[in-house]
């Protein structure tokens, strides 16, 4: 029976179902999402299992849809438009602050579970990360050319940024006792990055 449900073609997500998938993500922050069943998701959200199956064939599809919607909300913060400004420090601050706001309410544990158990959803996050790193590279380059940032090897900076996103932001064991949210972690990283780049 489960196999038939998985093989059946799915309907295109309606605005209502997109909203449902988006709103589900904050509900899952303190749960073991790998062990969570569709029955439990149905109970948590008040949406019938049969309705869920009309649109999704697996939990991972649900998580992917929710994550894609959250990342879509952050698209304005992660835009080449930030390069039009003359103050690259302000551009960097606004972009990372926008990302921090976009992931507000999402736990490090949730992101860690996505990385460990849901590869298709994680690919979506990695693709978004690549976009962020590309814009960061351009911000660093322009800031250095304008003389507002110290000269650093840009590849080194973006490699460290990638490590922060893909490894530090998903390390729940390192930060769980401190009660740090993803937003707080991004905010602290921003200040560290600016303190290194800023000229005295």
């Amino acid at each position: 029976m489960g196999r038939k449900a998985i093989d059946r073609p799915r309907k295109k997500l309606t605005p209502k179902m997109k909203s449902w998938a988006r709103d589900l993500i904050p509900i899952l922050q303190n749960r073991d999402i790998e062990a969570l069943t569709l029955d439990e998701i149905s109970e948590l959200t008040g949406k019938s299992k049969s309705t869920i199956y009309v649109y999704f064939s697996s939990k991972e599809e649900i998580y992917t849809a929710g994550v894609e919607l959250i990342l879509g909300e952050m698209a304005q913060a992660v835009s080449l438009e930030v390069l039009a400004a003359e103050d690259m420090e302000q551009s960097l601050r606004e972009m990372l602050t926008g990302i921090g706001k976009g992931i507000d309410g999402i736990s490090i544990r949730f992101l860690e579970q996505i990385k460990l158990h849901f590869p298709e959803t994680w690919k979506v996050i990695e693709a978004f990360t690549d976009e962020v790193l590309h814009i960061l590279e351009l911000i660093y380059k322009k800031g250095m050319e304008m003389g507002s940032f110290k000269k650093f090897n840009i590849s080194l900076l973006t490699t460290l940024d990638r490590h922060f996103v893909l490894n530090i932001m998903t390390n729940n064991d390192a930060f769980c006792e401190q009660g740090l949210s993803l937003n707080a972690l991004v905010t602290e990283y921003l200040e560290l990055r600016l303190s290194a780049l800023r000229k005295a």
Side-chain angles (χ1 to χ4, degrees), residues 52-189:
I52 294 171
Y53 268 130
V54 168
Y55 298 95
F56 302 101
S57 63
S58 67
K59 289 186 301 181
E60 184 163 17
E61 281 190 9
I62 297 171
Y63 302 152
T64 300
V67 166
E68 284 177 338
L69 289 163
I70 289 171
L71 297 179
E73 292 167 5
M74 291 191 277
Q76 189 172 356
V78 182
S79 164
L80 289 171
E81 290 177 12
V82 299
L83 295 168
E86 290 302 312
D87 185 343
M88 286 299 100
E89 177 175 335
Q90 186 61 27
S91 292
L92 180 59
R93 184 177 294 281
E94 286 179 5
M95 190 173 93
L96 292 188
T97 299
I99 290 171
K101 286 179 181 175
I103 57 178
D104 194 28
I106 295 176
S107 69
I108 298 170
R109 179 171 184 257
F110 175 80
L111 201 59
E112 180 182 60
Q113 288 187 79
I114 291 292
K115 180 181 179 182
L116 291 174
H117 305 298
F118 299 100
E120 293 306 310
T121 310
W122 187 247
K123 282 179 186 176
V124 171
I125 293 171
E126 285 188 314
F128 181 78
T129 300
D130 287 340
E131 290 179 38
V132 172
L133 292 174
H134 174 63
I135 296 173
L136 284 176
E137 180 179 350
L138 296 175
I139 289 174
Y140 297 150
K141 184 177 179 182
K142 183 172 179 179
M144 290 176 197
E145 288 173 350
M146 294 171 65
S148 51
F149 288 161
K150 293 176 187 173
K151 295 282 186 182
F152 280 104
N153 182 293
I154 293 175
S155 294
L156 173 61
L157 291 174
T158 54
T159 299
L160 291 170
D161 292 337
R162 175 177 288 279
H163 177 69
F164 172 74
V165 174
L166 301 183
N167 297 297
I168 295 175
M169 285 176 66
T170 58
N171 190 342
N172 187 59
D173 289 342
F175 302 106
C176 62
E177 290 183 6
Q178 301 170 39
L180 273 178
S181 66
L182 278 178
N183 188 1
L185 203 58
V186 169
T187 300
E188 291 202 18
Y189 184 76

Side-chain angles (χ1 to χ4, degrees), residues 25-54:
I25 300 300
I27 296 172
L28 301 177
Q29 298 313 299
N30 298 311
R31 294 181 175 270
D32 182 349
I33 61 173
E34 185 192 23
L36 200 65
T37 66
L38 282 171
D39 284 320
E40 290 169 322
I41 290 174
S42 172
E43 283 182 32
L44 277 171
T45 61
K47 187 75 68 179
S48 74
K49 190 175 171 183
S50 60
T51 299
I52 294 171
Y53 268 130
V54 168

